[in-house]
Every structure is written in structure tokens, then in C-alpha cells.
Amino acid sequence: MSSAPPSGRTRPGGRTARTRAQVLAAVSAELAEHGFDALTVDSVAARSGVHRTTVYRRWRDVGGLLTDLLDATSDDDWQPADTGSLRGDLAALNREIQQSLTERPSIAAALIAASFRSEEAARALRRLWDDRYGRCELVVERAVQRGELPPGTDARALLVTATAPLYHQLVLLGTPPDPRLPEHAAATAALAARAGAFTSGDVEGE
Amino acid sequence: MSSAPPSGRTRPGGRTARTRAQVLAAVSAELAEHGFDALTVDSVAARSGVHRTTVYRRWRDVGGLLTDLLDATSDDDWQPADTGSLRGDLAALNREIQQSLTERPSIAAALIAASFRSEEAARALRRLWDDRYGRCELVVERAVQRGELPPGTDARALLVTATAPLYHQLVLLGTPPDPRLPEHAAATAALAARAGAFTSGDVEGE
């Protein structure tokens, strides 16, 4: 669930790809260091060393820059860890989320803050999350195959439940990071999932 | 967990209290209708009918207005519902949260967005959440007294886990509201809590 921009992308059209990589690295650095309010096309152009006319023509404005940064982040080969257990996989995912939200500067935290300022960035961030949660469904499929979870477990609902306490505590409630939280939230969601909480929308006793 | 400002406060110092109520109702309405960007001391003064000099003197700026709105919201007699079961109490709480985040206009959603713009508002919002979660600990105490939960259950951790999926889905992920989510998140957290997930920081199998 890392939100770091891709670096050193090598592709057909190498010069265009290099320009994009330079500009997106500058967006990421400016955003993390100075926040959304200080982010301008000119500051990004200056930092990237790419001519401002090029940046304006290709990315138009701050919303365009943020959107491209977020879309580029999806364009990697990130996969959830395979630790051999549902609980271990969810804990590894949660540690990655906690790390990305608490490192200083945190580009993930800056992008979330920016999403409250730019509708375009908000949509791009939601596409990125959708992509990441989609890749994590593999964690649940593996657990079903191992017989850890009942078939028909709603993977997305389980993944959102396992990760939500991290986002709620760190982004909204502003609780100081608890090193036990990634593991605890993972274990709690795994326990509920094994008991069938994410199967056919019903929870035991309903 | 409602974020509506108090109305018709009657207290010693009635005129001051009335001025405050008028100004805070105007902040709330302006914020919900036009968002943080359009919020100014002048627009609040004009809408409230209170002289702008008074508003500037007493609240100073937009951060001061938002902080007072949030602090005033804590100053009520809100209590969590008592439905007779942990799961029912948590579901009622979640329905209230879902309602406050999805009604249009949503003052709760506007305040969360504003908290990414104003450090002062962010601190005030966290105080408000701390107050609300603190009052909700009663829900867990009652469940322990009824024998539904093991003694020593960490009330705050359970409450955050029960409510986090609502905030994550509705505020960050921007998922369309699912009418089953309040009940499902409550039932999942209650199931995990009954199994001891919030007792002494350990989860079954740890």
C-alpha cells in the first residue's frame, strides 16, 4: 500500500518517461515537504528541472499533477506479502500502512490531505486504494484455499475492516502510532473472519 | 456522535450565550453549504446578524470560529443509546455516525475536511471525538456488567474498531453508503470482543 512514486521507469518512449518521472518525483517531494498549499506548477517545474511550459502543457494544474502522481503509483508490481497465514498477511499489510502514514515526511498523509482540496486528486486516490485493495484480495483467496476461511468470504469487506483502524486512528483521530496496532487489527479481523463474519453478509447471532 | 451545534442554550449571561449561538449556527450553516474555502469571519458575521467587530474581537479568525463550534458541540448531554445489547448499542452508534456523514449538507464531513486545513480545528475535532468515545465507554461497561464481555475489555479499542469501517468507507474511500454497514461493523466488533480480542491486548492464537 506504499504511495511512493515509481522511480527509474524504463519504457518505450524513454525521454517522455524520464520527464514524467522527474516531474512526479518533484510533486511528491514538494507535497511531502511543504504541503498542498505551497504546491504550484512553477515550484514543481523548478524542482524537477523540466521547463515550466512543458509541465503546464502536459499536466495543466496542481490537480493534474496530483492525479498523475497517484495514477503512476498504481503502475507498479506491488503485491501483498505471503507469510503463510491470513493473520500474518494482514499484519504485514497493516505494518506497511502504518509505516506509510507515520514516516516523516509522509507522502501518503500529504496525498490524503490534498484529496480534501482537489476533487480530481480525491478520485485518483480512491482509484489507487481500489487498485491496492483489489490486489490484496489474493490474501483472502489464499486463506480460503488453505481452509482458514469459509468459502464465499467477502474479501473487500474483510480487508477494509482489517485496515480501517489504522486509517481512523492515524489520519482522523490523530492517535500517536501504537506499534501493536497493525498486528492487533489484523488478528481481530482474522478472528471475526474465521467465525464467518464476512460470509453472506451475516454475522453469528444475526 | 452528532456534530450539530447546540441551539437555544440558556445560561447565566443570556445575551452572550445568544450571540454565541447565533454565530456558531452561522458558522455551521456556511461551512455545510459552501465549505471551508468560502468561510470568512465576514460571511459568518453577515449571516448571524452579529456585528463583525464583535465576531472579530471574540473569535479572531476562521480557526477560532471552528474551534468554538467544535467545543460547543461537546457541551451537550449526548449519550449512546441503551438497547440492551452490546451489538445493538454499537449498531445504533454506527447508524448515527453514518447519518451524520451522509446527510446533505453534512456538517460532520465539512468539519473533517476543515480539520485538514486548520491545525486548530483539527485539535478541536480530536477533542470532540475523544469526548464522544469517552461517553461511549458506558456501552462497554454495561456489556461487561451483563456478562456479555470479559472483564478488562479495552473499551476505547473496541469502540474505535466498531466505528472505524464507517469513517474509512465514507470519509476516505468514498464508498457509496451501505445501509447494512452500521449493523455489520457493530456485529463484527461485538463478535471479536466476545471472543476476547480486546482483553489485555492479546487476541486468540497470539
Side-chain angles (χ1 to χ4, degrees):
Chain A
M1 307 288 267
S2 163
S3 296
S7 59
R9 294 150 54 83
T10 51
R11 277 207 169 175
R15 192 174 156 196
T16 305
R18 272 198 306 278
T19 301
R20 186 182 184 216
Q22 283 169 258
V23 168
L24 296 187
V27 175
S28 176
E30 285 287 304
L31 189 64
E33 284 173 28
H34 308 297
F36 182 92
D37 283 316
L39 194 67
T40 63
V41 175
D42 286 343
S43 67
V44 167
R47 184 167 195 142
S48 69
V50 173
H51 199 283
R52 57 192 291 280
T53 316
T54 306
V55 181
Y56 274 105
R57 195 178 53 234
R58 189 151 160 205
W59 286 275
R60 204 179 66 252
D61 57 19
V62 165
L65 286 165
L66 287 171
T67 299
D68 198 34
L69 175 64
L70 285 156
D71 287 343
T73 305
S74 297
D75 195 13
D76 64 3
D77 57 1
W78 184 88
Q79 291 292 333
D82 185 0
T83 68
S85 75
L86 172 66
R87 178 173 164 168
D89 289 359
L90 295 175
L93 176 62
N94 277 349
R95 281 194 294 272
E96 214 175 313
I97 293 170
Q98 176 136 309
Q99 167 67 24
S100 76
L101 291 171
T102 54
E103 63 194 359
R104 292 286 172 268
S106 164
I107 178 72
L111 284 168
I112 290 172
S115 76
F116 285 92
R117 308 290 297 280
S118 157
E119 257 308 312
E120 205 178 342
R123 281 193 300 271
L125 183 56
R126 285 160 187 180
R127 281 198 300 274
L128 175 59
W129 268 319
D130 192 49
D131 170 75
R132 290 315 200 214
Y133 279 113
R135 297 190 203 190
C136 289
E137 291 182 6
L138 183 60
V139 161
V140 180
E141 286 161 27
R142 286 194 301 242
V144 171
Q145 280 160 17
R146 279 191 301 259
E148 269 196 87
L149 288 182
T153 297
D154 182 336
R156 189 63 64 105
L158 165 51
L159 292 163
V160 169
T161 297
T163 57
L166 281 287
Y167 287 103
H168 192 37
Q169 297 244 20
L170 296 169
V171 179
L172 296 187
L173 300 181
T175 316
D178 173 356
R180 295 164 310 171
L181 182 60
E183 167 65 23
H184 188 267
T188 300
L191 184 160
R194 284 196 303 272
F198 301 99
T199 315
S200 75
D202 287 350
V203 178
E204 175 205 317
E206 200 162 29
Chain B
M1 306 287 267
S2 163
S3 295
S7 60
R9 294 151 53 83
T10 50
R11 281 205 164 175
R15 190 172 157 195
T16 305
R18 269 198 309 277
T19 300
R20 186 181 184 217
Q22 281 169 259
V23 167
L24 295 186
V27 175
S28 176
E30 284 288 304
L31 189 65
E33 284 172 28
H34 308 297
F36 183 89
D37 283 316
L39 195 67
T40 63
V41 175
D42 286 342
S43 67
V44 167
R47 184 166 193 144
S48 69
V50 173
H51 200 282
R52 59 192 288 281
T53 315
T54 306
V55 181
Y56 275 105
R57 194 177 55 233
R58 188 151 159 204
W59 285 275
R60 204 179 67 256
D61 57 20
V62 165
L65 285 166
L66 286 171
T67 299
D68 198 34
L69 175 64
L70 285 155
D71 287 343
T73 304
S74 299
D75 194 12
D76 64 3
D77 56 0
W78 184 88
Q79 290 294 332
D82 185 359
T83 68
S85 76
L86 172 65
R87 179 175 166 166
D89 288 0
L90 295 175
L93 176 61
N94 277 350
R95 280 193 295 272
E96 213 176 315
I97 293 170
Q98 175 136 309
Q99 167 69 24
S100 75
L101 292 171
T102 55
E103 64 193 358
R104 292 288 173 269
S106 164
I107 179 71
L111 284 168
I112 290 172
S115 75
F116 285 92
R117 308 291 298 279
S118 158
E119 257 308 312
E120 203 179 344
R123 281 193 300 273
L125 183 56
R126 285 159 186 179
R127 281 198 300 275
L128 174 58
W129 268 320
D130 191 50
D131 171 76
R132 291 315 200 214
Y133 280 113
R135 296 189 205 191
C136 288
E137 290 181 6
L138 182 60
V139 161
V140 179
E141 287 162 26
R142 286 194 299 240
V144 172
Q145 280 161 14
R146 279 190 301 258
E148 270 195 87
L149 289 182
T153 296
D154 182 336
R156 189 63 65 104
L158 165 52
L159 292 164
V160 169
T161 297
T163 56
L166 282 287
Y167 287 103
H168 193 36
Q169 297 245 20
L170 297 169
V171 178
L172 296 187
L173 301 180
T175 316
D178 173 355
R180 295 163 312 174
L181 183 61
E183 166 66 21
H184 188 267
T188 301
L191 184 161
R194 284 196 302 269
F198 302 99
T199 315
S200 75
D202 288 349
V203 177
E204 175 204 315
E206 200 162 31

